[in-house]
């Protein structure tokens, strides 16, 4: 029982990281219809930046906040390159984000090297039903809950959030009432960078991160986002938690090398399930 609880908490914490990456994908796709394949890079940049800032003597808390700011800046820069030119096709922007993700490998190797890096998280642990749980796992879960609550408030209660929602619902109508859809797209990219950055600084103390860690993050983040149809942050959170727990159980009871297969298998199953539901939903709408 203690082993099961340990795997469960581990899976929930890792799943929170997947959900944060996936929510960044959702925030960008809702507004721009672009699948940002550089999303995992934002988490890597934030994790590596936080490690560097801590080595330079910046205290915990400040280092992580500045690192998240760096990731948000990287997201904004990605947005300028991907959608900065008016009329850019979403498919072309998708290819641009893929290219930027590959370019980021070279930049990260030059700046941080090719060896995995990490830093200490919240110290100590707590015993729950015989299972020893690190405080960092609980911190990840708590910060993710606060982040998603803030994300809901942002979209529901603020003018920029309502502007993003309007662009997601009907870009043409949003233009007619004076909303700059391109500017909202850049805000969405910055928000995606911020969410990816939060994932990076939370997960790096649990799993050392390197320049190529974005592959695992984007695959799992995309799988979580697909669970929500690339449009619903709350469903993305549910998908990330489901994926994280499934992978933790597979790693604990079978082999850790099967984790990526679990992510791909679940993503494929969800896509098939959604494809079978779409005709029925359209018939109901008619």
């Amino acid at each position: 029982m203690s082993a099961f609880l340990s795997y469960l908490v581990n899976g929930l914490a890792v799943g929170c990281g997947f959900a944060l990456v996936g929510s960044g994908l959702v925030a960008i796709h809702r507004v721009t219809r672009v699948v940002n394949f550089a999303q995992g890079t934002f988490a890597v940049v934030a994790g590596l930046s936080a490690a560097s800032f801590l080595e330079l003597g910046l205290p915990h808390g400040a280092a992580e906040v500045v690192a998240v700011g760096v990731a948000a800046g990287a997201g904004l820069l990605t947005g300028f390159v991907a959608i900065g030119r008016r009329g850019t096709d979403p498919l072309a922007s998708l290819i641009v984000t893929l290219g930027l993700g590959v370019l980021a490998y070279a930049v990260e190797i030059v700046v941080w090297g090719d060896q995995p890096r990490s830093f200490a998280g919240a110290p100590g642990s707590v015993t729950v039903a015989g299972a020893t749980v690190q405080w960092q796992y609980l911190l990840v879960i708590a910060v993710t809950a606060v982040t998603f609550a803030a994300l809901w408030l942002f979209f529901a209660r603020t003018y920029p959030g309502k502007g993003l929602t309007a662009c997601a619902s009907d870009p043409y109508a949003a233009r007619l009432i004076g909303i700059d859809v391109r500017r909202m797209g850049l805000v969405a990219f910055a928000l995606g960078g911020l969410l990816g950055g939060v994932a990076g600084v939370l997960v790096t103390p649990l799993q050392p991160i390197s320049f190529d860690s974005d592959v695992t993050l984007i695959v799992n983040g995309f799988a979580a986002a697909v669970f929500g149809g690339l449009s619903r942050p709350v469903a993305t959170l549910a998908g990330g938690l489901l994926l994280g727990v499934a992978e933790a159980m597979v790693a604990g009871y079978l082999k850790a090398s099967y984790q990526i297969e679990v992510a791909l298998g679940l993503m494929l199953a969800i896509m098939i399930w959604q494809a079978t539901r779409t005709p029925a939903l359209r018939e109901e709408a008619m």
Side-chain angles (χ1 to χ4, degrees):
M1 186 62 183
S2 61
F4 173 80
L5 288 174
S6 179
Y7 299 150
L8 178 62
V9 175
N10 183 9
L12 289 174
V14 173
C16 285
F18 298 158
L20 288 167
V21 173
S23 64
L25 283 167
V26 169
I28 293 170
H29 183 267
R30 276 168 51 117
V31 178
T32 65
R33 296 297 180 261
V34 175
V35 178
N36 176 32
F37 280 109
Q39 185 66 29
T41 300
F42 304 150
V44 171
V45 167
L48 294 175
S49 296
S52 295
F53 292 144
L54 289 168
E55 291 172 1
L56 292 173
L58 210 61
H60 273 291
E64 285 84 352
V65 169
V66 175
V68 171
V70 171
L76 182 60
L77 179 60
T78 301
F80 271 115
V81 177
I83 65 168
R85 184 177 179 181
R86 294 185 184 277
T88 303
D89 184 78
L91 179 59
S93 297
L94 181 153
I95 295 171
V96 169
T97 65
L98 184 60
L100 289 174
V102 174
L103 176 62
Y105 280 15
V107 175
E108 290 158 3
I109 290 174
V110 169
V111 176
W112 290 288
D114 60 354
Q115 296 302 309
R117 304 183 70 175
S118 185
F119 55 87
S125 59
V126 62
T127 301
V128 180
T132 301
V133 179
Q134 297 179 31
W135 277 113
Q136 181 65 24
Y137 289 106
L138 302 179
L139 177 64
V140 171
I141 296 171
V143 171
T144 300
V146 172
T147 300
F148 272 87
L151 195 62
W152 179 82
L153 289 173
F154 172 74
F155 281 115
R157 303 294 183 184
T158 68
Y159 286 112
K162 291 179 179 179
L164 289 172
T165 301
C167 293
S169 301
D170 192 333
Y172 179 73
R175 290 190 187 95
L176 290 180
I177 62 173
I179 297 176
D180 189 332
V181 176
R182 174 177 167 273
R183 183 176 298 175
M184 288 294 101
L186 295 177
V187 172
F189 266 93
L191 179 60
L194 186 147
L195 292 168
V198 173
V201 299
L202 290 175
V203 173
T204 301
L206 303 177
Q207 300 176 346
I209 203 165
S210 63
F211 71 96
D212 59 351
S213 297
D214 67 309
V215 176
T216 301
L217 290 168
I218 189 62
V219 168
N220 287 282
F222 185 69
V226 165
F227 189 83
L230 287 172
S231 61
R232 293 173 293 169
V234 175
T236 300
L237 175 61
L241 295 178
L242 174 65
L243 190 59
V245 171
E247 291 191 6
M249 294 301 173
V250 168
Y253 291 110
L254 297 175
K255 292 179 64 176
S257 58
Y258 293 156
Q259 288 180 315
I260 194 68
E261 285 81 358
V262 171
L264 293 173
L266 282 175
M267 182 170 62
L268 180 60
I270 291 168
M271 292 176 73
I272 293 173
W273 173 67
Q274 289 186 337
T276 58
R277 288 179 69 242
T278 300
L281 293 175
R282 286 178 178 172
E283 288 179 4
E284 289 178 5
M286 295 175 64

